[in-house]
């Protein structure tokens, strides 16, 4: 039976099914109870959740769909503004977001204020950034999509206040942010930068050391995450900068030169990790193109070991040796990794 004939025989049920089929790809897994219709309002909220999760492609599709069926929804201005920010069009985004923020629709919605504040902050219009960031900090949740969103906004506000030479207010807000997210390396990084700007080198170093400890724990759990590796390098960069500032302030202290030397070595190691990650991506591509290449598999396992993922490297070598038991390079590397694990506490 043709779809059109079926629609004529059972128009109400069939149209409902067709509507659901059209909408469901946009919602990407959103579950709807039988008999419950998906409204444009539901779709708008889903688009915002997609933006929160970093899925801007799906959010854009939902936005376009809702704009066609209900273009007068005021909340669409918020979505459009957030999407324009992601597209690198801050000036276009600003008009939509500020229009939304001025409306009664805004209520306690923090996203528009946070975006406006950050646009002004990135443009160094720090005075204009204060009010929207304060509003965003008041209304934002503690955590969203695994990120300490309130603390991040608070640190942005602290940075703006510090740029306005409101140092006391900046440090107060920054301490609040650190208390809200005590185990976030990024917050410690920003707090360290604030203390460095105020030439409080001991406080800056305490923040950096705590951030490095947190980052190392994250990298032990997942050595391959690019964002965490980059953050680890930024912390080591800041540590080196602090020691350089200490040396400039007190060039006759020999202890500072030792600390400067150590931080330079650690910074070089963190930069090497970034290079190793890039090398691993190429090695993965080689394995994807030729899964039977023993040389590529062994080299990839070596990179994974150097990045601190010995179990991953051993698993890879185990699979290779099951297919090629006499692979000398794989046997040698496996022995080296196992020996290193036995000698480490």
């Amino acid at each position: 039976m043709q779809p059109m004939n079926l629609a004529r025989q059972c128009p109400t049920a069939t149209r409902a099914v067709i509507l659901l089929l059209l909408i469901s790809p946009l919602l990407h897994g959103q579950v709807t109870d039988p008999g419950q219709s998906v409204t444009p309002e539901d779709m708008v909220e889903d688009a915002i959740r997609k933006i929160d999760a970093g899925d801007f492609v799906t959010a854009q599709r939902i936005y376009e769909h809702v704009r066609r069926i209900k273009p007068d929804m005021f909340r669409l201005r918020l979505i459009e503004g957030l999407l324009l920010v992601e597209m690198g069009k801050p000036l276009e985004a600003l008009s939509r977001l500020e229009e939304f923020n001025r409306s009664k629709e805004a209520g306690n919605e923090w996203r528009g204020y946070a975006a406006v504040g950050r646009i002004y902050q990135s443009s160094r219009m720090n005075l204009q950034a204060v009010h929207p960031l304060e509003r965003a900090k008041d209304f934002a949740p503690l955590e969203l999509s695994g990120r300490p969103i309130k603390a991040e906004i608070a640190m942005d506000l602290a940075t703006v206040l510090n740029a306005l030479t409101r140092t006391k207010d900046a440090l107060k807000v920054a301490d609040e942010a650190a208390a809200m997210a005590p185990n976030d390396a990024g917050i410690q990084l920003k707090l360290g930068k604030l203390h460095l700007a105020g030439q409080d080198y001991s406080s800056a170093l305490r923040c950096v050391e705590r951030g490095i400890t947190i980052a190392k724990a994250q990298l032990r759990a997942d050595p391959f995450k690019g964002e965490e590796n980059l953050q680890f390098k930024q912390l080591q960069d800041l540590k080196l900068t602090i020691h350089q500032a200490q040396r400039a302030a007190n060039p006759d202290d020999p202890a500072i030169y030792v600390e400067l030397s150590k931080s330079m070595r650690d910074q070089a190691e963190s930069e090497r990790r970034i290079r190793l990650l890039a090398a691993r991506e190429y090695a993965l591509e080689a394995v994807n193109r030729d899964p039977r290449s023993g040389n590529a598999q062994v080299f990839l396992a070596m990179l994974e070991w150097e990045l601190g993922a010995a179990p991953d490297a051993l698993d890879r070598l185990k699979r290779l040796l099951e297919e090629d038991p006499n692979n000398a390079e794989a046997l040698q590397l496996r022995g080296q990794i196992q020996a290193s694990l036995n000698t480490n506490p």
Side-chain angles (χ1 to χ4, degrees):
M1 182 178 292
Q2 294 299 315
M4 287 302 295
N5 294 333
L6 180 60
R8 291 192 190 101
Q9 292 181 25
C10 190
T12 303
T14 303
R15 288 170 188 166
V17 170
I18 292 171
L19 179 61
L20 182 60
L21 290 173
L22 287 171
I23 293 173
S24 60
L26 298 171
L27 301 182
H28 273 259
Q30 180 173 329
V31 177
T32 305
D33 293 335
Q36 181 184 6
S37 61
V38 180
T39 66
E41 288 76 14
D42 294 332
M43 287 185 277
V44 162
E45 296 309 312
D46 190 46
I48 291 173
R49 286 192 293 271
K50 298 298 183 188
I51 291 173
D52 290 339
D55 187 356
F56 294 97
V57 173
T58 304
Q60 177 76 35
R61 285 206 300 266
I62 298 173
Y63 164 77
E64 295 291 349
H65 182 74
V66 177
R67 191 178 65 169
R68 285 194 298 269
I69 62 177
K70 196 171 182 180
D72 58 342
M73 284 188 67
F74 207 82
R75 201 159 171 78
L76 287 174
R77 288 168 174 78
L78 172 64
I79 298 176
E80 185 180 7
L82 296 175
L83 290 173
L84 285 168
V85 170
E86 176 62 19
M87 294 164 62
K89 300 179 179 180
L91 293 180
E92 294 179 43
L94 196 59
S95 62
R96 275 74 160 184
L97 292 167
E98 289 195 317
E99 183 182 6
F100 176 80
N101 290 344
R102 287 192 299 266
S103 72
K104 63 179 181 180
E105 298 273 342
N108 293 341
E109 173 56 71
W110 57 273
R111 295 172 181 85
Y113 288 109
V116 166
R118 285 164 172 163
I119 290 171
Y120 282 129
Q121 180 187 7
S122 64
S123 302
R124 298 186 180 181
M125 300 173 68
N126 295 302
L127 187 60
Q128 290 88 336
V130 172
H131 174 68
L133 287 175
E134 286 177 336
R135 295 272 299 195
K137 172 178 167 289
D138 288 342
F139 298 140
L142 278 175
E143 187 174 307
L144 185 70
S145 298
R147 291 172 48 203
I149 196 71
K150 185 184 282 286
E152 289 178 0
I153 293 170
M155 281 305 310
D156 288 336
L157 175 59
T159 303
V160 164
L161 292 171
N162 189 65
L164 293 169
T165 64
R166 293 172 55 180
T167 307
K168 185 176 179 180
D169 293 334
L171 289 175
K172 180 181 177 182
V173 174
D175 286 339
E176 290 176 9
M180 285 187 278
N183 297 316
D184 188 272
I187 297 298
Q188 295 298 324
L189 174 66
K190 292 179 180 179
L191 183 55
K193 288 180 179 179
L194 279 180
H195 285 303
L196 174 60
Q199 298 184 343
D200 185 351
Y201 303 133
S202 59
S203 295
L205 278 174
R206 280 197 300 272
C207 294
V208 168
E209 292 292 357
R210 177 163 178 76
I212 288 172
T213 299
I214 295 168
K216 282 182 175 179
Q218 292 172 335
L219 291 176
R220 281 194 296 271
D222 188 347
F224 306 135
K225 294 190 77 170
E227 185 176 348
E228 278 76 0
N229 275 280
L230 179 58
Q231 198 167 78
F232 181 62
K233 180 184 177 300
Q234 290 170 337
L235 284 159
Q236 297 290 5
D237 290 345
L238 180 57
K239 185 178 178 181
L240 176 59
T241 301
I242 295 168
H243 282 137
Q244 288 171 331
Q246 287 180 315
R247 179 186 61 83
N250 192 4
D252 296 325
D253 185 354
I256 292 177
Y257 289 88
V258 175
E259 295 305 315
L260 181 58
S261 177
K262 290 179 180 178
S263 63
M264 191 167 290
R265 176 203 60 192
D266 294 341
Q267 191 272 347
E269 284 298 316
S270 69
E271 187 166 328
R272 182 173 181 271
R273 286 191 64 88
I274 300 295
R275 300 292 184 184
L276 287 174
L277 276 179
R280 179 176 178 265
E281 289 301 315
Y282 283 115
L284 280 169
E285 184 63 25
V287 169
N288 289 336
R289 290 173 182 269
D290 184 6
R292 300 182 66 84
S293 172
N295 290 336
Q297 292 279 9
V298 171
F299 187 71
L300 179 54
M302 183 180 68
L303 291 173
E304 291 173 339
W305 175 36
E306 291 186 34
L307 282 164
D312 297 71
L314 287 173
D315 285 344
R316 187 175 298 282
L317 293 172
K318 179 183 176 182
R319 292 193 298 271
L320 175 59
L321 288 168
E322 286 172 353
E323 297 180 2
D324 184 8
N326 298 317
N327 188 307
E329 290 184 346
L331 288 168
Q332 182 182 9
L333 182 58
R334 184 181 68 177
Q336 290 175 330
I337 297 173
Q338 289 173 336
S340 72
L341 294 176
N342 291 332
T343 56
N344 288 334

